[in-house]
Amino acid sequence: MTSRRSMGRPGGSRDGVWLERSDGAVAVAGERVDLDAVTHRWAQAINDAGYVPMSPVRLREVLHDLVKRMAGALAAEPFDPGPGRRVGADLVLAGITGGGALGCTVEVLGSGLAQPADGRHLRLLGALAEGFTEALCERTLDAQEEIRAAAAVARSDTEAALRAAEARFRAVFAGSAFGIGIADLDGRLVDANATLAEMIGYSRDELCGRAIVDFVPGTDVAGVADLFAQLGRSEHDRVRTDQRLYRRDGQVLWAHLAASLIRDERGEPRFQTIMVEDVTDRHHLQTRLRHQATHDPLTGLPNRTLLFDRLYELFASADSRQRVAVCYIDLDGFKAVNDSFGHDIGDELLVAVAHRLHECVSRAGHLVARMGGDEFVILVHDHPSTQDVVALAEAVLAALTEPVGAGGHRLAISASIGIVDRACASTTPSELMRAADITLYWAKADGKGKWALFDADRTDREVARYELSASMPGALERGEFLLEYQPLVLCGGETVVGAEALVRWRHPRLGLLGPDRFVSLAEETGMIVPLGLWVLEEACRQGRRWLDLAGDAAPLISVNLAVRQAQEPSLVDDVAAILARTRLEPECLQLELTESALIGPGHEPLAALTKLAEMGVRIAIDDFGTGYSNLTYLRTLPVQAIKLAGSFVDGLRTSGRDPGRVDRAGERMVATLVQLAHALDLTVTAEGVETRMQADRLRAVDCDSGQGFFYAHPGPPEQITAMITRG
């Protein structure tokens, strides 16, 4: 049985919420963590590292509490590494400060706790190391302060107290685990304890007369000398810094230096005390943790964190003329490799690709980073022109054409690359990467092994499309859409037998938009379903008005039905409800679907259309001839009419080689389609009729009706009203 429990530091403030199990384990980031097992390993490692000033039972109690707090911090949302710093400080407070205490702590907790994919465990361990270091330094400074206080008391107390204070000072001085030196106001040592001598590798006599800066690398001498000079001038009473020191044998020692000023009874500066702590192991640990936090563990390349750090550094230091470019790389078909050969082979492929990318850019000084998955980014700066970036992208594509050996397989690979090159003054790191991501999408849309260069105008168009898409639901609610109607006219006459409803958008900023501007967006977003229902209801409402006005002379209402609408489970019920609300007879409604949507490969006749046809609704195939033109399927579908695509009607124009002659081949093709349709009891409407010659030829081949500019352009419903009431 599990229960939700809030874990945090003493006092009840929340560091994280996670599940604690009855068996002493917890679930952290989806992983089971056995708190008792981790505590046992940690206590054993601490005991092996050195003396601990508490009983084994008490040690396990302390460590168990700290493990729970670390686990709680790992699970907290949002994540905060702060609890790690407090755990590190509490280790010092508990006296767990032996030489290997921090190292074994990081090793045990790093392997025993959960390891979330976002790397938060590394940041938490780094925070623990920082908290441990700071607390240990503070404890050292407190001890140093005791030395200073003892010296002050010794000067103002009795001779016996002075001897006692000096004895205590000497005990601390001689027995301290830290290196301690006493220096004059110029920073030169006048005494040093054995620990300091052992750290540096010189005898105490050899150290006397020398300054700490004598052991500092040349590049750091000026900064360290200035710190001690400020102390000597009494500008500060205390200074501290982390600094490299050279040992006698030439090895580098990382040390934490804390120097304080000793004053006499009148407040005048007399000496400096310098405490030196060897933090080499801790420095290497923190360096390793920083590397893990900023590099991809699989390929060893910098990760997105380091990439953005470099980007921000570049932008912060760049002037208005400097440019920066990125090549955003995505492997083509990488998912198929993982699915076919397994993730181990996929990982080998990624490592090989990373190696090739590094070889391509390292000599030029560019940074290549892995963003995650099969995506990589090359950061380019100080380049002469965009063409140089393009040349680099082409070199990368060429380098990836050679098959990669992985797991005994020879895998052919390719990549797509989005290229963005901009002046630093005109963009930001986030905008640069967003533009690169968009451009990569363009490259992948062009096919495998392609690169694409960022185009601001194209982006503006796509942003405009997105804005249209996002504003469409609100536009429907505000009543910004309207319908126009184009008549279907009997061939050989002027009788209107139908009217096709065509949707328009009266956009408040862009004006009147045709369906070519927004219908495809509606289909992509699913907005076509509510928009299509609105069109259907408005058209049926208008059809009822014409029916009331003209009776049997009222035109058939023809409405386009998108594929997404036809696939809606509620289509039949929706159409029936609309017909009921508008009081339009089903026989007065015709629904148009494209040919490819109905009879393309793998498409079965839609059951919903069959039910609609049984209700009396007419079903027509729109743009017939642009898809598969499979008349066999028409026998099995509930179709009553076809609408010939305008490309067939174009064939009824005069021949291009001889303007005086009719294109007989085109005419015979139309005549054949009409005859076949009639043989299947289908009516035929020809779309795109623009000239009288086309209208006459359609009548000659017995086409039932025509639609196009020759008869009328799409217009308001009043245009149809005038046509059906004329004469």
Side-chain angles (χ1 to χ4, degrees):
M1 184 174 185
T2 59
S3 61
R4 295 193 66 84
R5 182 172 301 176
S6 176
M7 301 302 298
R9 59 182 182 275
S13 60
R14 183 175 65 86
D15 285 332
V17 177
W18 43 291
L19 292 175
E20 183 170 349
R21 301 158 53 102
S22 59
D23 59 358
V26 296
V28 179
E31 299 181 24
R32 180 182 182 277
V33 178
D34 190 332
L35 297 182
D36 293 337
V38 175
T39 302
H40 178 76
R41 287 179 52 208
W42 193 5
Q44 186 64 47
I46 292 293
N47 280 320
D48 292 344
Y51 170 72
V52 182
M54 64 179 69
S55 69
V57 173
R58 178 56 184 161
L59 176 62
R60 283 194 295 272
E61 290 176 353
V62 171
L63 296 184
H64 190 271
D65 177 65
L66 298 183
V67 170
K68 290 171 67 176
R69 288 162 57 187
M70 289 290 284
L74 271 180
E77 295 296 345
F79 172 69
D80 176 15
R85 299 176 66 91
R86 294 191 289 275
V87 168
D90 287 348
L91 279 173
V92 176
L93 186 62
I96 306 173
T97 58
L102 179 59
C104 69
T105 293
V106 172
E107 180 180 356
V108 171
L109 296 184
S111 61
L113 295 179
Q115 299 181 0
D118 60 4
R120 61 173 64 185
H121 61 293
L122 298 177
R123 295 171 58 193
L124 189 63
L125 291 175
L128 183 148
E130 292 176 1
F132 183 94
T133 301
E134 291 178 359
L136 196 58
C137 290
E138 289 299 328
R139 194 180 73 169
T140 303
L141 292 174
D142 289 342
Q144 187 176 11
E145 193 64 33
E146 290 182 9
I147 295 173
R148 294 178 60 194
V153 170
R155 287 192 299 269
S156 61
D157 213 339
T158 63
E159 188 68 25
L162 177 61
R163 286 195 299 269
E166 288 179 347
R168 288 195 299 272
F169 170 78
R170 282 297 165 186
V172 172
F173 185 79
S176 174
F178 298 97
I180 302 177
I182 300 176
D184 59 24
L185 295 181
D186 292 328
R188 299 201 169 276
L189 294 171
V190 297
D191 198 0
N193 68 354
T195 304
L196 179 59
E198 183 180 353
M199 279 185 188
I200 304 298
Y202 291 86
S203 68
R204 295 173 64 183
D205 291 340
E206 289 173 323
L207 287 177
C208 291
R210 304 188 66 174
I212 288 294
V213 293
D214 294 341
F215 308 102
V216 172
T219 55
D220 300 342
V221 167
V224 177
D226 184 57
L227 281 177
F228 280 94
Q230 294 175 27
L231 192 66
R233 295 192 298 266
S234 300
E235 296 179 12
H236 305 286
D237 276 357
R238 178 184 295 176
V239 295
R240 55 180 174 174
T241 183
D242 285 339
Q243 180 58 52
R244 293 178 300 164
L245 300 178
Y246 279 136
R247 291 172 44 86
R248 185 171 198 159
D249 58 10
Q251 294 184 0
V252 174
L253 166 78
W254 277 94
H256 181 77
L257 304 180
S260 297
L261 195 61
I262 303 296
R263 299 178 183 271
D264 59 19
E265 63 275 6
R266 294 172 300 180
E268 295 296 326
R270 294 294 302 277
F271 298 100
Q272 298 176 3
T273 60
I274 305 168
M275 303 193 72
V276 183
E277 179 190 4
D278 185 349
V279 295
T280 303
D281 291 341
R282 193 182 313 149
H283 172 79
H284 291 328
L285 171 64
Q286 291 175 334
T287 300
R288 187 167 68 252
L289 290 174
R290 281 195 297 269
H291 184 274
Q292 291 174 350
T294 57
H295 287 75
D296 174 52
L298 176 64
T299 64
L301 293 178
N303 61 15
R304 63 184 301 121
T305 299
L306 182 54
L307 173 70
F308 274 94
D309 286 346
R310 294 288 176 83
L311 269 175
Y312 282 109
E313 289 173 4
L314 280 175
F315 275 77
S317 61
D319 59 39
S320 59
R321 296 170 299 175
Q322 285 183 302
R323 302 182 66 83
V324 63
V326 293
C327 297
Y328 206 136
I329 304 167
D330 182 84
L331 300 185
D332 299 322
F334 178 72
K335 183 177 183 300
V337 174
N338 273 343
D339 293 344
S340 302
F341 300 100
H343 288 273
D344 290 342
I345 301 299
D347 287 348
E348 287 189 45
L349 176 61
L350 290 175
V351 171
V353 168
H355 179 70
R356 292 190 188 181
L357 293 178
H358 181 71
E359 286 186 335
C360 283
V361 305
S362 59
R363 288 189 296 272
H366 305 314
L367 173 73
V368 57
R370 183 186 178 199
M371 297 295 285
D374 60 337
E375 295 183 348
F376 301 84
V377 168
I378 299 174
L379 176 61
V380 183
H381 63 97
D382 294 334
H383 53 286
S385 68
T386 301
Q387 288 305 313
D388 293 278
V389 185
V390 171
L392 174 62
E394 291 177 340
V396 167
L397 293 179
L400 295 179
T401 56
E402 179 69 22
V404 172
H409 303 280
R410 294 288 289 171
L411 303 177
I413 58 172
S414 64
S416 302
I417 304 179
I419 304 171
V420 181
D421 182 18
R422 284 185 171 181
C424 293
S426 66
T427 188
T428 66
S430 296
E431 290 175 353
L432 186 72
M433 293 304 299
R434 184 178 66 85
D437 196 13
I438 292 172
T439 312
L440 173 61
Y441 174 80
W442 298 344
K444 294 192 78 67
D446 291 340
K448 295 183 177 181
K450 304 288 186 181
W451 59 265
L453 188 62
F454 178 75
D455 181 351
D457 292 337
R458 180 174 177 179
T459 301
D460 291 342
R461 291 193 298 270
E462 294 196 356
V463 169
R465 278 174 51 85
Y466 172 78
E467 291 176 347
L468 278 180
S469 176
S471 62
M472 203 176 300
L476 186 58
E477 293 180 2
R478 293 188 296 270
E480 294 178 6
F481 291 96
L482 62 111
L483 294 183
E484 290 186 343
Y485 298 87
Q486 189 172 32
L488 282 65
V489 181
L490 279 179
C491 289
E494 297 182 353
T495 303
V496 176
V497 294
E500 181 178 355
L502 302 169
V503 65
R504 305 287 187 261
W505 184 354
R506 190 184 292 108
H507 195 280
R509 181 170 54 86
L510 302 176
L512 190 65
L513 303 180
D516 58 310
R517 293 286 301 275
F518 61 86
V519 167
S520 62
L521 294 177
E523 291 174 342
E524 291 172 7
T525 61
M527 188 64 195
I528 193 66
V529 175
L531 178 61
L533 290 177
W534 177 87
V535 170
L536 181 61
E537 183 153 356
E538 287 297 307
C540 289
R541 207 177 303 281
Q542 181 60 51
R544 180 71 241 184
R545 296 190 191 101
W546 284 327
L547 191 61
D548 292 340
L549 174 67
D552 292 341
L556 179 77
I557 292 297
S558 193
V559 178
N560 288 286
L561 193 68
V563 177
R564 181 75 174 269
Q565 290 177 270
Q567 295 171 345
E568 283 291 304
S570 61
L571 174 64
V572 176
D573 293 337
D574 289 338
V575 173
I578 288 173
L579 290 172
R581 284 196 299 270
T582 60
R583 298 181 299 109
L584 185 69
E585 298 298 329
E587 293 77 10
C588 298
L589 175 63
Q590 176 174 280
L591 297 178
E592 299 182 15
L593 284 86
T594 60
E595 174 191 356
S596 57
L598 275 173
I599 57 178
H603 285 276
E604 297 294 334
L606 299 176
L609 297 182
T610 301
K611 292 180 181 179
L612 290 173
E614 291 172 352
M615 289 169 48
V617 176
R618 289 173 56 85
I619 307 297
I621 297 181
D622 193 18
D623 285 333
F624 185 82
T626 59
Y628 298 93
S629 302
N630 194 329
L631 293 173
T632 303
Y633 283 120
L634 295 181
R635 300 172 57 189
T636 62
L637 293 173
V639 176
Q640 290 80 39
I642 63 172
K643 299 183 73 174
L644 289 180
S647 57
F648 288 102
V649 179
D650 283 343
L652 301 181
R653 296 177 183 271
T654 56
S655 172
R657 291 171 302 203
D658 185 356
R661 296 179 56 193
V662 174
D663 186 349
R664 297 301 178 186
E667 184 175 354
R668 285 193 295 271
M669 184 180 297
V670 173
T672 301
L673 289 174
V674 171
Q675 290 173 10
L676 288 172
H678 285 168
L680 295 171
D681 293 328
L682 304 177
T683 60
V684 182
T685 299
E687 296 182 298
V689 182
E690 297 183 357
T691 67
R692 177 167 293 279
M693 174 177 285
Q694 290 173 324
D696 291 342
R697 302 315 302 165
L698 287 169
R699 183 183 66 235
V701 298
D702 293 328
C703 184
D704 299 292
S705 59
Q707 178 182 352
F709 294 166
F710 173 71
Y711 301 107
H713 286 72
E718 291 77 14
Q719 174 179 271
I720 303 296
T721 302
M723 296 179 71
I724 63 177
T725 58
R726 189 165 44 207

